[in-house]
Amino acid sequence: MTKVLVVDDSLTVRKIIRRELEPQGFEIEEAANGIEALEIIPLFVPDIITLDVEMPKMDGFECCRRIRFGHDGVFAAGEENSKIPVIFFTANANLQMRTRGFEVGADEYLTKPPIKGEMLAAVNRVLYKADNLKGLSALVVDDSAMIRKLLVRVLANEGLKVHDAPGGQEALDFLKSNEVDLVLTDFVMPEMDGVELCKKIRHELGLVDLPVIFLTSASDKESLVDIFKAGATDYLVKPLVSEELFARLRVHLKEKQLKYELYEKVQALNEAHKLKDEFLSIASHDLRSPLNGILGFVQLLEMEEGLPDDVQEYVGYIKTSGVFLLDLINDLLDLGRLTAEKDELKLEATDVVSVIEGSLITLNHMATPKSIKLSFQNMTAGPVSIISDTNALTRVINNFLSNAVKFTPNNGQVKAILSEVDGKIHVDIQDTGIGISEANIPKLFDKFTSASQTGTAGEKSTGLGLSITKTLIEKMDATVNVTSKVGLGTTFTIIFDKA
């Protein structure tokens, strides 16, 4: 059962607090002033204390100070009793009073007269807030031992792991070998002040994202400008008010916490993506060998004479499906290699004319059965060199030409056009095919795109070819544009830098 010590010289107020907390399962003990409270604490050992400020014999401020920093004959500073959360409950909660309460170690302030439910909410808030920022850490830098001790306590109450340093150089030495999530530093310190420390954190240590919050008595614009020029994240003006300090720290630490969580999620996704690619690559590689064996036997069957018509038809189906599966496996392997970080192209001066001419010869076997005319129009003067990878460029041109043939009906035309426009080399692959609807053009380069179609002779598509092609184009620092009209044809334009 959670134990609450209620300290107030008003019997009425003590009864109100008891009636609010006791039905919720809290065990209540009462004290009429600070002296009684200090005597009861070691015996009752409360989990939380509500403390009036203005009381006879010993006020709340002195009582809290002795709880936090030691009281002869009762308990010493640093003992568990000194860490008990304290809620001040007073009719006078102006800025000066709040500042003084914060300095003696208050965790929260409530204003009299009490509002129903407010004390219960405050008690729960203080009791359970230690997990809000659990797992995060802070470094407190101040030449005042008292301020360091105070800040260490209030930050620890927020669930932080807190380190402290008496000066800028000690803080810098600590940060060289330790990681923290936030630095809270005084502005004016001997030897190395907060501005110099912040500059070294940003430039010498390279910690550009580490939140650095200044504590300063200066409020003039010139000093504040110096602070932000040094790389400060935020500042707080002394004397400190607990609510403002907590609000500022929570914002910056929560942001840091969210960045960590996002980073961890990205790392996990990258690892899962890597495992997926590795599995896909291994599976695809292992599938290719038996599939090549099947297609080999299909070729032998095609060479057999006297096969019945229905058997020849079945063999044709097997071949078509086998070739499609082999194309898919090869595309998956290519895609895996291209998306791997280690796969980099060798960019150098490449004779684009010879690559286009070679591709037209290679793709002639696809065009001939459909009586499609392949042609090349070189609108430049002489040989043209571009910055590319020869193998990648060949794959790109072959892919665009094969697609053009696939989606062009019999007796159509496919043309490669080479030109120079505004100092860039343009390669156009132009066809008189079925065209692409305007709605499908943005989807063309997606993996397994829904815009994928069947060729005019029933040719199947894996839906990966154009995605691989675009990846290769981007790796060559080139770009690609598409223009098309349904029923009239399509033009793919690849734009390269001249060598």
Side-chain angles (χ1 to χ4, degrees), residues 38 98 143 468 499:
L38 293 174
R98 285 173 177 269
D143 57 326
I468 293 170

Side-chain angles (χ1 to χ4, degrees), residues 30-211:
E30 298 179 19
N33 56 61
I35 292 175
E36 284 186 20
L38 293 174
E39 292 172 352
I40 292 171
I41 288 171
L43 303 174
F44 182 59
V45 191
D47 297 294
I48 190 168
I49 300 170
T50 73
L51 192 58
D52 187 17
V53 173
E54 297 173 343
M55 296 182 293
K57 299 183 181 180
M58 182 185 292
D59 65 19
F61 290 139
E62 179 61 20
C63 180
C64 188
R65 188 192 67 77
R66 294 193 184 194
I67 292 170
R68 293 288 177 246
F69 304 112
H71 173 56
D72 295 338
V74 182
F75 52 86
E79 290 185 353
E80 284 303 310
N81 289 337
S82 70
K83 302 174 184 177
I84 299 169
V86 173
I87 299 175
F88 272 117
F89 193 39
T90 176
N92 190 357
N94 59 35
L95 179 60
Q96 184 179 359
M97 296 286 279
R98 285 173 177 269
T99 300
R100 189 178 173 193
F102 175 70
E103 288 173 348
V104 298
D107 289 271
E108 188 144 350
Y109 249 97
L110 287 181
T111 306
K112 294 180 180 179
I115 299 173
K116 187 176 181 181
E118 190 176 34
M119 180 59 76
L120 176 62
V123 168
N124 285 327
R125 190 161 55 244
V126 171
L127 284 173
Y128 301 114
K129 73 178 180 181
D131 288 332
N132 287 349
L133 300 169
K134 194 173 182 180
L136 297 175
S137 59
L139 173 63
V140 174
V141 190
D142 201 298
D143 57 326
S144 167
M146 186 187 77
I147 291 177
R148 290 202 311 276
K149 185 175 181 179
L150 174 65
L151 289 171
V152 167
R153 185 192 65 77
V154 297
L155 294 177
N157 284 343
E158 289 293 303
L160 289 158
K161 181 178 181 181
V162 190
H163 311 275
D164 67 292
Q169 187 58 55
E170 292 85 351
L172 191 66
D173 292 339
F174 178 84
L175 290 171
K176 286 178 180 178
S177 54
N178 298 275
E179 291 185 6
V180 295
D181 299 295
L182 179 140
V183 173
L184 194 62
T185 179
D186 192 14
F187 180 27
V188 180
M189 294 183 291
E191 296 183 16
M192 183 188 294
D193 64 13
V195 169
E196 186 64 23
L197 171 62
C198 189
K199 287 179 179 178
K200 289 183 178 291
I201 288 173
R202 298 298 186 223
H203 304 296
E204 188 175 310
L205 302 184
L207 301 174
V208 294
D209 293 325
L210 177 65

Side-chain angles (χ1 to χ4, degrees), residues 8 41 96 172 186 194 215 236 252 278 298 312 325 349 354 407 437 458 470 478 490:
D8 201 296
I41 288 171
Q96 184 179 359
L172 191 66
D186 192 14
L215 305 177
L236 290 163
H252 296 299
E278 289 176 355
V298 167
Q312 288 181 351
L325 284 175
S354 63
F407 298 113
S437 69
K470 188 177 183 184
T490 302

